[in-house]
Amino acid sequence: MRKTLAFAAALMAATVLGGVANAKTFVYCSEGSPEGFDPGMYTAGTTFDAAAHTVYNRLLEFKPGTTEAEAGLAESWTISDNGLEYTFKLRPGVKFQTTEYFTPTRELNADDVIFSLERQLKADNPWHQYVPGTSWEYFAGMGMPELIQSIEKVDDMTVKIVLKKTEAPFLANLAMPFASIMSKEYADKLDAAGTKEKLNQQPLGTGPFTFVGYQQDAVIRYKANPDYWGGKQKIDDLVFAITPDASVRYQKLKAGECHLMPFPNSADVEAMKADPNLKVEEQEGLNVAYLAYNTTQAPFDNVKVRKALNHAINKEAIVDAVFQGAATPAKNPIPPTMWSYNDKVEDDAYNLDEAKKLLEEAGVKDLSMKVWAMPVSRPYMLNARRAAEIIQSDFAKVGVTVEIVSYEWAEYLDRSKAKDRDGAVMLGWTGDNGDPDNFLHTLLGCDAVGGNNRAQWCNEEFNTLVMKAKETTDQAERTKLYEEAQVVFKREAPWATIDHSLSVVPMRKGVEGFVQSPLGDFAFDGVDIVE
């Protein structure tokens, strides 16, 4: 059945590219399967592309191609003089999608906003654990439960969010996928039917595309939302053809079986640029790849051991082998294109003698450890298995034996959050709002331990700096605090920082209107196919 659907999707794409069909079908060869379709529950870009950027909207949206937040479902907002009260006027006339499984009877109102956010905020909310084990990882990791005092309905079209303290990136945070707005009316229907879990399986929002169906690990189908408040799309149907192998994605792109693909093999890029049927867009990625040690588990609770391993990694070799040079070795947890990047920080240079010396000082001999390698391509790490093999070889030179382990992507993300996880996990991050807080607090703050903070690292000095930076709107002061935080990070070494990569997006020549995002999103609002 799966092969049949995948073949059908490919055939449909080839037919459209050949100009036979009247309806326009855009096929995106995505790199992996979504974990689910409720954006609030996850942090992976693969999942956000399949749900948040297709089906849903947020109070604010990022202006295409930028990290600038602009009006979305909220047409305007005001902030109180003390910076603690944000009042949002909702856009009138916004309709929820009509699907085979639900027909809305009303338009967007304040109840939907309150439902969407309070289920993440309040532990006693009946939807807080509608999927057992839900942690609302992004919401919690950003400290939202400690930040938000209340979410209040002023009237049907006005919502007020009251904070306990000032928060500089708050508006940008509300433009992120976890803050997607859902239909309370739809949720109520599912609740009454005893099928709450369908909120994560059959999504329904206000976005540009309406969900049609998902065949596990094969294909996701959408159609243009005819009632979209931003105007109906130029394409009629959108297909995500799930294709984990980058070489296979490239073959499908060349054959006209898909219009656009993410994360090509670096070795293929020059050939793509030379192909008259393709075009390639490039920009600096707002990203970082890293190896997170579990700092709560011996011997990785010893900073000398972490520093030793950092000195043993030849990052230049990883950049050459995995990216063909289309990346730079990373020394900080934020990319060099981001404001507050501290270029004065000195990296842990590749130095095997220093690595051996530090291991000896730590009293560590014959260390055996696991290095986790992602099963999917990501912009910051195109081939985690190859990078892990290089690290395995490097560590062997200093007497450390490495076992490389991996899991299916959703399981990998889930297992790697465990506080008692063994070894070091390879992951990375593409910024979701253009603010340093989205890296430093979201990935390394104490609030994120057990979630996005895969190093399980709660350092009081570091945490105090990033929390202070959140609470001031003075960018010069925030910059100073973040620069200091990067010094603490480097001294304590909860990660081995690996690389910052170039973001490369190949597509068919006839694709128009796709805007490459500095946030790494693949969104198809406004995309067209012109032959």
Coordinates of all heavy atoms in Angstrom, one line a residue, residues 386-453:
R386 N 28.3 9.9 9.1 CA 29.7 10.2 8.7 C 30.4 11.0 9.7 O 31.6 10.7 10.0 CB 29.7 10.9 7.3 CG 31.1 11.2 6.8 CD 31.7 9.9 6.3 NE 33.1 10.1 5.9 CZ 34.2 9.8 6.6 NH1 34.1 9.2 7.8 NH2 35.4 10.0 6.2
A387 N 29.8 12.0 10.3 CA 30.4 12.9 11.3 C 30.8 12.0 12.5 O 31.8 12.2 13.1 CB 29.5 14.0 11.7
A388 N 29.9 11.1 12.9 CA 30.1 10.3 14.1 C 31.3 9.3 13.8 O 32.0 9.1 14.8 CB 28.8 9.5 14.4
E389 N 31.4 8.9 12.6 CA 32.5 8.0 12.3 C 33.9 8.7 12.4 O 34.9 8.2 12.9 CB 32.4 7.4 10.9 CG 31.2 6.4 10.8 CD 30.9 6.0 9.4 OE1 31.4 6.7 8.4 OE2 30.1 5.1 9.1
I390 N 33.9 10.0 12.0 CA 35.1 10.8 12.2 C 35.4 11.0 13.7 O 36.6 10.9 14.1 CB 34.9 12.1 11.4 CG1 34.9 11.9 9.9 CG2 36.1 13.1 11.8 CD1 34.5 13.1 9.1
I391 N 34.4 11.3 14.4 CA 34.6 11.5 15.9 C 35.0 10.2 16.5 O 35.9 10.2 17.4 CB 33.2 12.0 16.5 CG1 33.0 13.4 16.1 CG2 33.3 11.9 18.0 CD1 31.6 13.9 16.4
Q392 N 34.4 9.1 16.1 CA 34.9 7.8 16.6 C 36.3 7.5 16.4 O 37.1 7.1 17.3 CB 34.0 6.7 15.9 CG 34.3 5.3 16.3 CD 33.5 4.3 15.5 OE1 33.5 4.3 14.3 NE2 32.8 3.4 16.2
S393 N 36.8 7.9 15.2 CA 38.2 7.7 14.8 C 39.1 8.7 15.7 O 40.2 8.3 16.1 CB 38.4 8.0 13.3 OG 39.8 7.9 13.0
D394 N 38.6 9.9 15.8 CA 39.4 10.9 16.6 C 39.5 10.5 18.0 O 40.6 10.6 18.6 CB 38.7 12.3 16.5 CG 38.8 13.0 15.2 OD1 39.7 12.6 14.4 OD2 38.0 13.9 14.9
F395 N 38.4 10.0 18.6 CA 38.5 9.6 20.0 C 39.3 8.4 20.3 O 40.0 8.3 21.3 CB 37.0 9.4 20.5 CG 36.2 10.6 20.8 CD1 36.7 11.9 20.5 CD2 34.9 10.5 21.4 CE1 36.0 13.0 20.8 CE2 34.2 11.7 21.6 CZ 34.7 12.9 21.3
A396 N 39.4 7.5 19.3 CA 40.2 6.3 19.4 C 41.7 6.7 19.5 O 42.5 6.0 20.2 CB 40.0 5.4 18.2
K397 N 42.1 7.8 18.9 CA 43.5 8.3 19.0 C 43.9 8.7 20.4 O 45.1 8.9 20.7 CB 43.7 9.5 18.0 CG 43.5 9.1 16.5 CD 43.5 10.3 15.6 CE 43.1 9.9 14.2 NZ 42.9 11.0 13.3
V398 N 42.9 9.0 21.3 CA 43.2 9.4 22.6 C 42.7 8.3 23.6 O 42.6 8.6 24.8 CB 42.6 10.8 23.0 CG1 43.2 11.8 22.1 CG2 41.1 10.8 22.9
G399 N 42.5 7.1 23.1 CA 42.2 6.0 24.0 C 40.7 5.8 24.3 O 40.4 5.1 25.3
V400 N 39.8 6.5 23.6 CA 38.4 6.4 23.9 C 37.7 5.6 22.9 O 37.8 5.9 21.7 CB 37.8 7.9 24.0 CG1 36.3 7.8 24.2 CG2 38.4 8.7 25.1
T401 N 37.0 4.6 23.3 CA 36.3 3.7 22.4 C 34.8 4.2 22.2 O 34.1 4.4 23.2 CB 36.3 2.3 22.9 OG1 37.6 1.8 23.1 CG2 35.5 1.3 22.0
V402 N 34.4 4.3 21.0 CA 33.0 4.8 20.7 C 32.2 3.8 20.0 O 32.6 3.2 19.1 CB 33.1 6.1 19.8 CG1 31.8 6.5 19.3 CG2 33.7 7.3 20.6
E403 N 30.9 3.6 20.5 CA 29.9 2.9 19.9 C 28.9 3.9 19.3 O 28.4 4.7 20.0 CB 29.2 2.0 20.8 CG 28.0 1.2 20.2 CD 27.1 0.5 21.2 OE1 27.5 0.5 22.4 OE2 26.1 -0.1 20.7
I404 N 28.7 3.8 18.0 CA 27.7 4.7 17.3 C 26.3 4.1 17.4 O 26.2 3.0 17.0 CB 28.1 5.0 15.9 CG1 29.5 5.7 15.8 CG2 27.1 5.9 15.2 CD1 30.1 5.9 14.4
V405 N 25.4 4.9 17.9 CA 24.0 4.4 18.0 C 23.1 5.3 17.3 O 23.4 6.5 17.2 CB 23.6 4.2 19.5 CG1 24.4 3.1 20.2 CG2 23.6 5.5 20.2
S406 N 21.9 4.8 16.9 CA 20.9 5.7 16.3 C 19.5 5.0 16.5 O 19.4 3.9 16.8 CB 21.2 6.0 14.8 OG 20.3 7.0 14.3
Y407 N 18.5 5.8 16.2 CA 17.1 5.4 16.3 C 16.3 6.1 15.2 O 16.8 7.1 14.6 CB 16.5 5.7 17.7 CG 17.3 5.1 18.8 CD1 18.3 5.8 19.5 CD2 17.0 3.8 19.3 CE1 19.0 5.3 20.5 CE2 17.7 3.2 20.4 CZ 18.7 4.0 21.0 OH 19.4 3.5 22.0
E408 N 15.1 5.6 15.0 CA 14.2 6.3 14.1 C 14.0 7.7 14.7 O 14.1 8.0 15.9 CB 12.9 5.6 14.1 CG 11.8 6.1 13.2 CD 10.9 7.2 13.9 OE1 10.7 7.1 15.1 OE2 10.5 8.1 13.2
W409 N 13.8 8.7 13.8 CA 13.9 10.1 14.2 C 13.1 10.5 15.4 O 13.6 11.2 16.3 CB 13.6 11.0 13.0 CG 13.8 12.5 13.1 CD1 12.9 13.4 12.6 CD2 14.9 13.2 13.7 NE1 13.4 14.7 12.8 CE2 14.6 14.6 13.5 CE3 16.0 12.8 14.4 CZ2 15.5 15.6 13.9 CZ3 16.9 13.9 14.8 CH2 16.6 15.2 14.6
A410 N 11.8 10.2 15.4 CA 11.0 10.6 16.5 C 11.4 9.9 17.8 O 11.5 10.6 18.9 CB 9.5 10.2 16.2
E411 N 11.9 8.7 17.7 CA 12.4 8.0 18.9 C 13.7 8.6 19.3 O 14.0 8.7 20.5 CB 12.5 6.5 18.6 CG 12.9 5.6 19.8 CD 13.1 4.2 19.5 OE1 12.9 3.8 18.3 OE2 13.4 3.4 20.4
Y412 N 14.5 8.9 18.4 CA 15.8 9.6 18.7 C 15.6 10.8 19.5 O 16.3 11.0 20.5 CB 16.5 9.9 17.4 CG 17.9 10.4 17.5 CD1 19.0 9.6 17.3 CD2 18.1 11.8 17.6 CE1 20.3 10.1 17.4 CE2 19.4 12.3 17.7 CZ 20.5 11.5 17.6 OH 21.8 12.0 17.6
L413 N 14.7 11.7 19.0 CA 14.4 12.9 19.7 C 13.9 12.7 21.1 O 14.2 13.3 22.1 CB 13.4 13.8 18.9 CG 14.0 14.3 17.6 CD1 12.8 14.9 16.8 CD2 15.1 15.4 17.9
D414 N 13.0 11.7 21.3 CA 12.4 11.4 22.5 C 13.4 10.8 23.5 O 13.5 11.2 24.7 CB 11.2 10.4 22.3 CG 10.4 10.2 23.6 OD1 10.0 11.2 24.2 OD2 10.3 9.1 24.0
R415 N 14.1 9.8 23.1 CA 15.1 9.1 23.9 C 16.2 10.0 24.4 O 16.8 9.9 25.5 CB 15.7 7.9 23.2 CG 14.9 6.6 23.2 CD 15.6 5.6 22.3 NE 14.9 4.3 22.3 CZ 15.3 3.2 23.0 NH1 16.4 3.3 23.8 NH2 14.6 2.1 23.0
S416 N 16.6 10.9 23.5 CA 17.8 11.8 23.8 C 17.5 12.8 24.9 O 18.4 13.4 25.4 CB 18.3 12.5 22.5 OG 17.3 13.3 22.0
K417 N 16.2 13.0 25.2 CA 15.8 14.0 26.3 C 16.0 13.4 27.7 O 16.0 14.1 28.6 CB 14.4 14.4 26.1 CG 14.1 15.3 24.9 CD 12.7 15.7 24.9 CE 11.7 14.6 24.5 NZ 10.3 15.1 24.2
A418 N 16.2 12.1 27.8 CA 16.2 11.4 29.1 C 17.4 11.9 29.9 O 18.5 12.0 29.4 CB 16.3 9.9 28.9
K419 N 17.1 12.2 31.2 CA 18.1 12.7 32.1 C 19.2 11.7 32.4 O 20.3 12.1 32.7 CB 17.5 13.2 33.4 CG 16.6 14.4 33.2 CD 16.0 15.0 34.5 CE 15.1 16.2 34.2 NZ 14.6 16.8 35.5
D420 N 18.9 10.4 32.2 CA 19.9 9.4 32.5 C 20.5 8.9 31.2 O 21.1 7.8 31.2 CB 19.4 8.3 33.3 CG 18.2 7.6 32.7 OD1 17.7 8.1 31.6 OD2 17.7 6.6 33.2
R421 N 20.3 9.6 30.1 CA 20.8 9.1 28.8 C 22.3 8.9 28.8 O 23.1 9.7 29.5 CB 20.5 10.2 27.7 CG 20.9 9.8 26.3 CD 21.1 11.0 25.4 NE 22.4 11.6 25.7 CZ 22.5 12.9 26.1 NH1 21.5 13.7 26.2 NH2 23.7 13.4 26.3
D422 N 22.8 7.9 28.2 CA 24.3 7.6 28.2 C 25.0 8.4 27.0 O 24.4 8.8 26.0 CB 24.5 6.1 28.1 CG 23.8 5.5 26.9 OD1 23.2 6.3 26.1 OD2 23.9 4.3 26.7
G423 N 26.3 8.6 27.2 CA 27.1 9.1 26.2 C 26.8 10.6 25.7 O 26.4 11.4 26.5
A424 N 27.0 10.8 24.4 CA 26.9 12.2 23.9 C 26.0 12.1 22.6 O 26.2 11.2 21.8 CB 28.3 12.7 23.5
V425 N 25.1 13.0 22.6 CA 24.1 13.0 21.5 C 24.4 14.1 20.5 O 24.6 15.2 20.8 CB 22.6 13.1 22.0 CG1 22.4 14.4 22.7 CG2 21.6 12.9 20.9
M426 N 24.4 13.7 19.2 CA 24.6 14.7 18.1 C 23.2 15.3 17.7 O 22.3 14.6 17.4 CB 25.3 14.1 16.9 CG 25.7 15.1 15.9 SD 26.5 14.4 14.4 CE 27.8 13.5 15.2
L427 N 23.1 16.6 17.8 CA 21.9 17.3 17.4 C 22.3 18.7 16.9 O 23.5 19.0 16.7 CB 21.0 17.5 18.6 CG 19.9 16.4 18.7 CD1 19.1 16.6 20.0 CD2 18.9 16.4 17.5
G428 N 21.4 19.5 16.6 CA 21.7 20.9 16.2 C 20.4 21.7 16.3 O 19.4 21.2 16.8
W429 N 20.5 22.9 15.8 CA 19.4 23.8 16.0 C 19.5 24.9 14.9 O 20.5 25.4 14.5 CB 19.5 24.5 17.3 CG 18.3 25.3 17.8 CD1 18.1 26.6 17.8 CD2 17.1 24.7 18.4 NE1 16.9 26.9 18.4 CE2 16.3 25.8 18.7 CE3 16.7 23.4 18.6 CZ2 15.0 25.6 19.3 CZ3 15.5 23.2 19.2 CH2 14.6 24.3 19.5
T430 N 18.3 25.2 14.3 CA 18.2 26.4 13.5 C 17.3 27.3 14.2 O 16.2 27.0 14.7 CB 17.6 26.0 12.1 OG1 18.4 25.1 11.4 CG2 17.4 27.2 11.2
G431 N 17.7 28.6 14.4 CA 17.0 29.6 15.1 C 15.5 29.7 14.7 O 15.3 29.7 13.5
D432 N 14.6 29.8 15.6 CA 13.2 29.9 15.3 C 12.7 31.3 15.4 O 11.5 31.6 15.0 CB 12.4 29.0 16.2 CG 12.5 27.6 15.9 OD1 12.4 27.3 14.7 OD2 12.7 26.7 16.8
N433 N 13.5 32.3 15.9 CA 12.9 33.7 16.0 C 14.0 34.7 15.8 O 13.7 35.9 16.0 CB 12.2 33.9 17.3 CG 13.1 33.8 18.5 OD1 14.3 33.7 18.4 ND2 12.4 33.8 19.7
G434 N 15.2 34.4 15.5 CA 16.3 35.4 15.3 C 16.8 36.0 16.5 O 17.6 37.0 16.4
D435 N 16.5 35.5 17.7 CA 17.0 36.1 18.9 C 17.9 35.1 19.6 O 17.7 33.9 19.6 CB 15.8 36.3 19.9 CG 16.1 37.2 21.0 OD1 16.8 36.8 21.9 OD2 15.7 38.4 21.0
P436 N 19.1 35.6 20.2 CA 20.0 34.7 20.9 C 19.4 33.9 22.0 O 19.8 32.8 22.3 CB 21.0 35.7 21.5 CG 21.0 36.9 20.6 CD 19.5 37.0 20.2
D437 N 18.3 34.4 22.6 CA 17.6 33.7 23.6 C 17.1 32.3 23.1 O 17.1 31.3 23.9 CB 16.4 34.5 24.1 CG 15.5 33.7 25.1 OD1 15.9 33.6 26.2 OD2 14.4 33.3 24.6
N438 N 16.8 32.2 21.8 CA 16.3 31.0 21.2 C 17.3 29.9 21.1 O 17.0 28.7 21.0 CB 15.7 31.3 19.8 CG 15.0 30.1 19.2 OD1 15.4 29.7 18.2 ND2 14.0 29.6 19.9
F439 N 18.6 30.3 21.3 CA 19.6 29.3 21.4 C 20.1 29.1 22.8 O 20.1 28.0 23.3 CB 20.9 29.7 20.5 CG 20.7 29.6 19.1 CD1 20.0 30.5 18.3 CD2 21.3 28.6 18.4 CE1 19.9 30.4 16.9 CE2 21.2 28.4 17.0 CZ 20.5 29.4 16.3
L440 N 20.5 30.2 23.5 CA 21.1 30.1 24.7 C 20.2 29.7 25.9 O 20.6 28.9 26.7 CB 21.8 31.5 25.1 CG 22.9 31.9 24.0 CD1 23.4 33.3 24.3 CD2 24.0 30.9 24.0
H441 N 19.0 30.2 25.9 CA 18.1 29.8 27.0 C 17.3 28.5 26.6 O 17.2 27.6 27.4 CB 17.1 30.9 27.3 CG 16.1 30.5 28.4 ND1 14.8 30.3 28.1 CD2 16.3 30.3 29.7 CE1 14.2 29.9 29.2 NE2 15.0 29.9 30.2
T442 N 16.9 28.5 25.3 CA 16.1 27.4 24.9 C 16.9 26.1 24.9 O 16.3 25.0 25.2 CB 15.5 27.6 23.5 OG1 14.7 28.8 23.5 CG2 14.7 26.5 23.0
L443 N 18.2 26.1 24.6 CA 19.0 24.9 24.5 C 19.8 24.6 25.7 O 20.2 23.5 25.9 CB 19.9 25.0 23.2 CG 19.2 25.1 21.9 CD1 20.2 25.2 20.8 CD2 18.2 24.0 21.6
L444 N 20.1 25.6 26.5 CA 21.1 25.5 27.6 C 20.6 26.0 28.9 O 21.4 25.9 29.9 CB 22.4 26.2 27.1 CG 23.1 25.5 26.0 CD1 24.1 26.5 25.3 CD2 23.9 24.3 26.4
G445 N 19.4 26.6 29.0 CA 18.9 27.1 30.2 C 18.4 26.0 31.1 O 18.1 24.9 30.7
C446 N 18.3 26.3 32.4 CA 17.9 25.3 33.4 C 16.4 24.9 33.1 O 16.1 23.7 33.4 CB 18.0 25.9 34.8 SG 19.7 26.1 35.3
D447 N 15.6 25.8 32.6 CA 14.2 25.5 32.3 C 14.1 24.3 31.2 O 13.1 23.6 31.2 CB 13.5 26.7 31.7 CG 13.2 27.7 32.7 OD1 13.0 27.4 33.9 OD2 13.3 28.9 32.4
A448 N 15.2 24.2 30.4 CA 15.1 23.2 29.3 C 15.7 21.9 29.6 O 15.7 21.0 28.8 CB 15.8 23.8 28.1
V449 N 16.2 21.7 30.9 CA 16.7 20.4 31.3 C 15.6 19.3 31.2 O 14.5 19.6 31.6 CB 17.3 20.4 32.7 CG1 17.6 19.0 33.2 CG2 18.6 21.3 32.7
G450 N 15.9 18.2 30.6 CA 14.9 17.2 30.4 C 14.1 17.4 29.1 O 13.2 16.6 28.8
G451 N 14.4 18.5 28.4 CA 13.8 18.8 27.1 C 14.8 19.1 26.1 O 15.7 18.3 25.7
N452 N 14.8 20.4 25.6 CA 15.8 20.8 24.6 C 17.2 20.8 25.1 O 18.2 20.8 24.3 CB 15.4 22.2 24.1 CG 14.3 22.2 23.1 OD1 14.1 21.2 22.4 ND2 13.4 23.2 23.1
N453 N 17.4 20.9 26.4 CA 18.8 20.9 27.0 C 19.3 19.5 27.1 O 19.2 18.9 28.1 CB 18.7 21.6 28.3 CG 20.1 21.9 28.9 OD1 21.1 21.2 28.5 ND2 20.2 22.8 29.8

